[in-house]
Amino acid sequence: MPADLRKAHQKLDAAVERCYRKEKFKTDAERLSFLFARYQVLSKTERHI
């Protein structure tokens, strides 16, 4: 991955972490798991509206 694209991804990851948690995610897998769990909760809520 080009260095500038990697840096952009790192900045985005940091922004996501600040939105949801005080501490950083330990791994990318932990971040994805958290985000997909949030998506599932939010998508279920929207269907019942």
Side-chain angles (χ1 to χ4, degrees), residues 24-35:
K24 291 185 177 185
F25 292 98
K26 294 175 185 164
T27 64
D28 288 337
E30 182 182 20
R31 182 183 302 103
L32 286 173
S33 177
F34 176 87
L35 292 173

Side-chain angles (χ1 to χ4, degrees), residues 28-44:
D28 288 337
E30 182 182 20
R31 182 183 302 103
L32 286 173
S33 177
F34 176 87
L35 292 173
F36 278 121
R38 285 289 296 149
Y39 173 77
Q40 286 180 331
V41 169
L42 293 172
S43 65
K44 286 180 184 177

Side-chain angles (χ1 to χ4, degrees), residues 12-25:
L12 180 57
D13 291 345
V16 168
E17 289 172 356
R18 286 191 304 271
C19 290
Y20 292 104
R21 299 168 48 141
K22 291 182 180 182
E23 69 277 356
K24 291 185 177 185
F25 292 98

